Amino acid sequence: MQEEFSLGELAVRFGLTLRGEPELKVRSVATLSRAGPGNLSFLANSRYRRQLEITGATAVLVSAEDEAHCPVSALIHSNPYLVYARIAALMHPMPSPQPGKHPSAVVSSRARIAASANIGPLAVVEDDAEIGDRAIIGPGCIIQRGARVGADSVLVSRVNLYPGVTLGQRCILHAGAVVGADGFGFAQNSGTWVKVPQVGSVRVGDDVEIGANTTIDRGAIDDTVVEDGVKLDNQIQVGHNVVIGAHTAIAACTGISGSTVIGQRCMIGGMVGFAGHLTIADDVVVTGCSLVSASIKKPGSYSSGMPTVESRLWRRMVAHLRRQVKQEK
């Protein structure tokens, strides 16, 4: 049976101001429009006040500015979304598999596996790999020779850690993530290509989350580095010898070319492209679909690309640009 929490208990545990009956209980979270009795919801954007005003939730997390619009019990905090994340994790905890190895898993006798770790069905753990305390290696994951997984990290399924990759503590890697594949390194030879050995590895810090089917290439000589607290969305490509600074968040389908250094606490929108050998300062925001072709040396928000317009207008704009170029020539 799902555990219930009183509003008074939540207010004390998370430092919230409560307007309403402390004895009321909630057991799950829901959106404002779908919430009913026993549900806790939140309002993080005032544009959704209309949904707040008609919600059926037992209680709603709101800011002080929106509290007057809440028709039900309110838990008040300056950052409702942050508190929602923490309460949702409390109400909907991740499952904790029992320690041990599934009979179908293939684990080398030379691997070092903590007694409290869980190795799932069809997983492979090769020679000299190391799995830390309470780590979870999900179905079909491959931990190649000498790779290390830190304590309390979770590899959901079909994750592949190449030889020598180091993964920190409390990381989450979603299905299909590949860490440590060869970087795209080739030397030209009279119209043909000669592969350059990729002899570095990948070092991933603590509290990192890597989305489904995201790929991080190993370094050509030195390591590719993902620092503590980085959050990577699905289907991101991180090239060889890239460094991503601590607590940076990158949205889906972004491509980062080799040897680019991204600073700390940056926020990168979806489908952003980075040319290689760039340096991006700390606290930079790059909006979605931008092309970053030069280093960014100062914090701030940066954009490129053309917003969508009606097709006929777009053709006229392109024709105008071509005429301008011809006139300048």
Side-chain angles (χ1 to χ4, degrees), residues 267-278:
M267 292 188 290
I268 312 300
M271 296 184 68
V272 172
F274 288 87
H277 302 272
L278 304 182

Side-chain angles (χ1 to χ4, degrees), residues 48-287:
Y48 295 96
R49 275 181 181 170
R50 176 57 184 158
Q51 293 184 19
L52 172 66
E53 292 167 354
I54 60 174
T55 189
T58 293
V60 180
L61 289 157
V62 294
S63 66
E65 292 77 14
D66 293 314
E67 184 265 334
H69 299 270
C70 183
V72 297
S73 295
L75 292 162
I76 304 164
H77 191 269
S78 59
N79 190 341
Y81 193 47
L82 173 63
V83 179
Y84 163 77
R86 291 171 174 163
I87 294 178
L90 175 69
M91 291 183 171
H92 303 271
M94 293 182 65
S96 299
Q98 292 298 311
K101 180 185 73 172
H102 191 274
S104 65
V106 179
V107 179
S108 167
S109 61
R110 291 176 51 186
R112 297 179 293 279
I113 313 294
S116 56
N118 176 274
I119 311 298
L122 302 176
V124 175
V125 184
E126 295 185 350
D127 292 351
D128 302 316
E130 184 175 338
I131 310 298
D133 292 328
R134 298 171 300 281
I136 298 172
I137 309 302
C141 292
I142 301 175
I143 313 303
Q144 297 191 37
R145 176 176 44 82
R148 291 183 290 171
V149 178
D152 299 298
S153 288
V154 177
L155 281 59
V156 175
S157 63
R158 295 183 294 103
V159 173
N160 196 330
L161 302 187
Y162 274 60
V165 166
T166 301
L167 187 67
Q169 301 182 64
R170 299 176 300 280
C171 295
I172 301 173
L173 276 64
H174 292 278
V178 177
V179 182
D182 280 359
F184 194 63
F186 299 90
Q188 284 193 323
N189 178 33
S190 302
T192 64
W193 297 100
V194 177
K195 184 176 179 63
V196 177
Q198 305 291 287
V199 299
S201 190
V202 180
R203 290 184 282 122
V204 178
D206 298 336
D207 302 298
V208 171
E209 185 157 351
I210 299 173
N213 294 322
T214 282
T215 54
I216 303 175
D217 290 345
R218 68 192 309 105
I221 300 176
D222 296 328
D223 293 344
T224 301
V225 178
V226 180
E227 295 183 352
D228 293 349
V230 167
K231 310 301 180 187
L232 302 179
D233 199 358
N234 303 329
Q235 297 181 318
I236 291 170
Q237 161 63 16
V238 180
H240 57 189
N241 298 107
V242 165
V243 176
I244 302 177
H247 307 294
T248 283
I250 303 178
C253 297
T254 288
I256 308 171
S257 297
S259 299
T260 289
V261 177
I262 297 177
Q264 299 184 5
R265 298 176 302 279
C266 294
M267 292 188 290
I268 312 300
M271 296 184 68
V272 172
F274 288 87
H277 302 272
L278 304 182
T279 299
I280 309 301
D282 296 342
D283 301 300
V284 164
V285 176
V286 181
T287 60

Side-chain angles (χ1 to χ4, degrees), residues 23-63:
E23 295 80 13
L24 287 175
K25 292 186 177 181
V26 289
R27 60 181 176 274
S28 61
V29 297
T31 61
L32 288 168
S33 60
R34 293 184 177 274
N39 291 150
L40 175 71
S41 193
F42 71 96
L43 178 71
N45 189 323
S46 296
R47 289 184 297 179
Y48 295 96
R49 275 181 181 170
R50 176 57 184 158
Q51 293 184 19
L52 172 66
E53 292 167 354
I54 60 174
T55 189
T58 293
V60 180
L61 289 157
V62 294
S63 66

